[in-house]
Amino acid sequence: KTSTSSGAYAFFNDRGHFNIKNNIFTANNGIPFYTNSSSYINEIDYNNYYTNGNVLAYWNGNRATLTDLQTTSGKDTASLSVNPLS
Protein backbone atom coordinates (compact mmCIF):
# COMPACT_ATOMS: atom_id res chain seq x y z
CA LYS A 1 0.00 0.00 0.00
CA THR A 2 1.20 3.53 -0.73
CA SER A 3 0.41 6.67 1.17
CA THR A 4 1.05 10.01 -0.55
CA SER A 5 -0.02 12.38 2.25
CA SER A 6 2.54 13.87 4.57
CA GLY A 7 2.16 12.35 8.03
CA ALA A 8 0.01 9.50 6.74
CA TYR A 9 0.47 5.76 7.21
CA ALA A 10 0.48 3.07 4.53
CA PHE A 11 -0.48 0.49 7.21
CA PHE A 12 -2.06 1.42 10.55
CA ASN A 13 -2.90 -1.13 13.24
CA ASP A 14 -4.10 -0.22 16.69
CA ARG A 15 -6.02 -3.44 17.37
CA GLY A 16 -6.43 -6.91 15.92
CA HIS A 17 -3.95 -9.66 15.22
CA PHE A 18 -2.22 -9.99 11.87
CA ASN A 19 0.19 -12.12 9.87
CA ILE A 20 1.90 -9.68 7.52
CA LYS A 21 4.11 -11.08 4.76
CA ASN A 22 5.16 -10.16 1.22
CA ASN A 23 4.04 -6.51 1.18
CA ILE A 24 5.44 -3.20 0.05
CA PHE A 25 4.70 -0.31 2.42
CA THR A 26 5.64 3.15 1.13
CA ALA A 27 4.83 6.64 2.36
CA ASN A 28 6.02 9.96 0.95
CA ASN A 29 7.06 11.95 4.02
CA GLY A 30 4.81 9.71 6.10
CA ILE A 31 5.33 6.52 8.10
CA PRO A 32 4.93 3.32 6.07
CA PHE A 33 4.01 1.06 9.01
CA TYR A 34 2.34 1.68 12.38
CA THR A 35 1.46 -0.63 15.25
CA ASN A 36 1.14 0.49 18.85
CA SER A 37 1.41 -2.99 20.34
CA SER A 38 3.75 -5.79 19.32
CA SER A 39 1.17 -8.28 20.57
CA TYR A 40 -1.03 -7.31 17.60
CA ILE A 41 1.46 -8.77 15.11
CA ASN A 42 1.65 -12.57 15.04
CA GLU A 43 4.08 -12.90 12.13
CA ILE A 44 5.76 -10.27 9.98
CA ASP A 45 8.47 -10.81 7.36
CA TYR A 46 9.43 -10.54 3.67
CA ASN A 47 8.15 -6.97 3.47
CA ASN A 48 9.66 -3.84 1.94
CA TYR A 49 9.39 -0.56 3.86
CA TYR A 50 10.24 2.74 2.19
CA THR A 51 9.82 6.41 2.99
CA ASN A 52 11.63 9.58 2.08
CA GLY A 53 10.69 10.85 5.54
CA ASN A 54 12.54 10.43 8.83
CA VAL A 55 10.56 7.52 10.33
CA LEU A 56 10.42 4.12 8.64
CA ALA A 57 8.00 2.54 11.11
CA TYR A 58 6.24 3.06 14.40
CA TRP A 59 6.55 -0.07 16.54
CA ASN A 60 5.86 1.00 20.12
CA GLY A 61 7.82 4.14 19.18
CA ASN A 62 9.42 5.69 16.11
CA ARG A 63 11.96 3.52 14.25
CA ALA A 64 14.17 5.40 11.78
CA THR A 65 15.74 2.41 10.03
CA LEU A 66 14.98 -1.19 9.19
CA THR A 67 17.69 -2.27 11.64
CA ASP A 68 15.92 -0.28 14.39
CA LEU A 69 12.64 -1.99 13.50
CA GLN A 70 14.20 -5.46 13.41
CA THR A 71 16.00 -4.95 16.72
CA THR A 72 12.91 -3.63 18.49
CA SER A 73 10.46 -6.15 17.08
CA GLY A 74 12.69 -9.23 16.88
CA LYS A 75 10.92 -9.85 13.55
CA ASP A 76 11.18 -8.90 9.87
CA THR A 77 14.55 -10.63 9.51
CA ALA A 78 14.13 -11.13 5.72
CA SER A 79 12.53 -7.73 5.05
CA LEU A 80 14.05 -4.88 3.04
CA SER A 81 14.07 -1.12 2.94
CA VAL A 82 14.61 -0.09 -0.68
CA ASN A 83 12.85 2.29 -3.03
CA PRO A 84 10.42 0.04 -4.95
CA LEU A 85 10.46 2.43 -7.93
CA SER A 86 14.21 2.33 -8.54
Side-chain angles (χ1 to χ4, degrees), residues 26-59:
T26 65
N28 294 330
N29 296 314
I31 300 173
F33 186 88
Y34 177 99
T35 187
N36 63 353
S37 176
S38 58
S39 66
Y40 294 153
I41 307 299
N42 299 328
E43 295 179 63
I44 186 167
D45 211 355
Y46 303 100
N47 298 297
N48 183 28
Y49 304 90
Y50 180 77
T51 185
N52 54 5
N54 297 324
V55 178
L56 186 69
Y58 183 95
W59 186 288

Side-chain angles (χ1 to χ4, degrees), residues 44-47 49 59 66 69-70 73-79:
I44 186 167
D45 211 355
Y46 303 100
N47 298 297
Y49 304 90
W59 186 288
L66 180 60
L69 175 60
Q70 291 167 326
S73 68
K75 300 174 187 269
D76 264 321
T77 59
S79 290

